[in-house]
Amino acid sequence: MTPSTLTVLGLETSCDETAAAVVRRSGDGAVTVLSSVVGSQIAAHAPYGGVVPEIAARAHVETIEAIAGEALREAGVGYADLSGVAATAGPGLVGGVMVGLSFGKAVALARGLPLIAVNHLEGHAVSARLDADVAYPFLLLLVSGGHCQLLAVDGIGACRRLGTTIDDAAGEAFDKIAKTLGLPYPGGPALEHLAKGGDPDRFVLPRALLGRKDCDFSFSGLKTAAARLAEGLTTNAEKRDLACAVQAAIARQLAERTDRAMQAYAHAHEGRDLRFVVAGGVAANATVRARLTEIATARGFSFTAPALAYCTDNAAMIALAGAERLALGLTDGLDAAARPRWPLDEAAALANPIHVAGRKGAKA
Ligand code: KG4
Ligand code: ZN
């Protein structure tokens, strides 16, 4: 092992998954995921139809130590083999974030290891680099249950926001509409399953922000219209077609805004390789992937989406963001704070604050 090889334990507790992973990054940047353990709390939240913050925090406390132990065991490494500990420090449900961050601080203190306080969104941003050779810079669509934004990613700590949602995140829209269709939580995968073989044109749904030429998203009108339509449905075929129309409408909006962002990005990066990455839980959706692949091909961008296990929340992406930060000498003190809100592009967020209450608080 060369001295510049880094082995990092990652911890992720910002929502309803308790996750730990060990990632090794060699001096030349090659990445190996030695383990990635995700303990889902779906069963604990399902009776409430969504994530209950107090239940999530308690479940993280109960399982984090065992899950971190499992990740080390599976990776075949001990605490003594680690170069650093990376923990999500936000944005997210702060009670949960505090659990993983405190655990990470305890390991760092006890073992004399550097701590890296990772932005969950930066984790999603690097997630495609876990299993594919995606060099910086790239255009990123980050589309999950708590976030929906387009970012120009130049490297670690260097993201510029090109567009964001002005109300709900796309995953949140999937989840809420799925609930009105009587589907179980989490709604995105259930709605995708229901939509199979459906007719996307049977129901007409509104299109958002038609008068605007920017890259912002809005899903609240779609959510209201779908809820109203869902109330009058009686047959399974009608529900299937509505699910299909909703999925098509979300995929269309994501593709339209991405297309706009690609045009601006390509203009700013003339003569360079153009790369597009989609990450976050909604990137698991096949229709969304298909629309985005078409757009990327038409605009001359390469298309990369992480493996499904790295699209949804996981700790391997946190460990990799931590390893990339550590390689640059970017570490944090044991006083690092848990942050419910933490925009990746702080300058853009300050210049154009969009404060909306969502499942994870304001969209960062
Ligand atoms: O990235 P993630 O695990 O957590 C957040 O950081 O939010 O994303 C979870 C979101 C949920 O809203 C879930 O319904 C959605 O991603 N999702 C999907 C699919 N799989 C997960 N949405 C649509 N289709 C899917 N196949
Ligand atoms: Zn996430």
Side-chain angles (χ1 to χ4, degrees):
M1 216 193 293
T2 63
S4 52
T5 294
L6 299 172
T7 306
V8 173
L9 171 67
L11 303 163
E12 160 58 39
T13 56
S14 69
C15 193
D16 57 343
E17 264 105 18
T18 314
V22 180
V23 166
R24 184 162 284 162
R25 184 184 182 276
S26 64
D28 63 3
V31 175
T32 314
V33 179
L34 300 181
S35 66
S36 180
V37 180
V38 180
S40 172
Q41 303 174 1
I42 284 179
H45 299 287
Y48 307 94
V51 179
V52 183
E54 291 73 17
I55 293 177
R58 196 176 291 259
H60 289 309
V61 171
E62 285 164 2
T63 56
I64 184 76
E65 194 177 358
I67 286 179
E70 202 179 323
L72 290 169
R73 234 182 348 271
E74 262 187 36
V77 303
Y79 284 113
D81 302 310
L82 297 176
S83 321
V85 186
T88 299
L93 299 171
V94 77
V97 173
M98 282 163 68
V99 174
L101 184 57
S102 304
F103 187 84
K105 286 177 181 176
V107 172
L109 181 64
R111 297 286 169 166
L113 292 168
L115 173 78
I116 308 103
V118 173
N119 184 316
H120 179 82
L121 305 178
E122 189 165 273
H124 279 299
V126 302
S127 61
R129 290 163 61 81
L130 284 166
D131 62 349
D133 197 8
V134 193
Y136 296 117
F138 54 81
L139 175 67
L140 171 73
L141 172 65
L142 171 49
V143 68
S144 71
H147 308 282
C148 189
Q149 42 189 288
L150 280 155
L151 295 150
V153 182
D154 287 337
I156 281 290
C159 288
R160 202 162 44 81
R161 194 175 77 187
L162 305 177
T164 188
T165 181
I166 62 165
D167 41 55
D168 291 341
E172 202 175 352
F174 265 117
D175 291 339
K176 288 179 177 168
I177 295 170
K179 204 170 172 180
T180 65
L181 281 165
L183 296 171
Y185 161 84
L191 190 143
E192 179 173 26
H193 187 70
L194 175 64
K196 284 206 171 79
D199 172 8
D201 300 319
R202 177 172 184 164
F203 297 101
V204 178
L205 293 164
R207 292 174 64 192
L209 309 178
L210 276 180
R212 287 171 57 164
K213 293 277 168 273
D214 57 26
C215 300
D216 284 346
F217 304 87
S218 167
F219 296 101
S220 66
L222 176 68
K223 193 178 67 186
T224 309
R228 210 168 283 146
L229 284 166
E231 274 172 21
L233 302 189
T234 48
T235 69
N236 285 341
E238 284 174 328
K239 288 185 181 174
R240 181 198 60 199
D241 291 346
L242 181 57
C244 191
V246 164
Q247 181 172 257
I250 293 176
R252 177 182 184 161
Q253 189 183 146
L254 293 174
E256 278 175 359
R257 304 307 194 268
T258 300
D259 188 47
R260 256 179 227 164
M262 279 181 176
Q263 291 178 57
Y265 188 92
H267 188 69
H269 293 77
E270 224 175 303
R272 302 182 63 178
D273 283 347
L274 299 173
R275 303 178 196 92
F276 172 68
V277 171
V278 60
V282 178
N285 185 281
T287 303
V288 169
R289 281 189 189 222
R291 289 292 87 72
L292 294 171
T293 307
E294 285 164 17
I295 298 288
T297 308
R299 293 280 173 205
F301 278 69
S302 64
F303 174 90
T304 311
L308 294 188
Y310 300 144
C311 282
T312 48
D313 285 350
N314 65 88
M317 67 185 193
I318 303 303
L320 178 57
E324 292 196 15
R325 286 194 158 258
L326 191 55
L328 295 170
L330 301 170
T331 60
D332 297 274
L334 292 179
D335 57 351
R339 300 174 63 173
R341 294 175 188 181
W342 186 3
L344 258 189
D345 180 348
E346 305 214 37
L350 282 173
N352 182 21
I354 297 171
H355 294 296
V356 200
R359 136 156 118 70
K360 286 188 178 176
K363 310 302 173 295

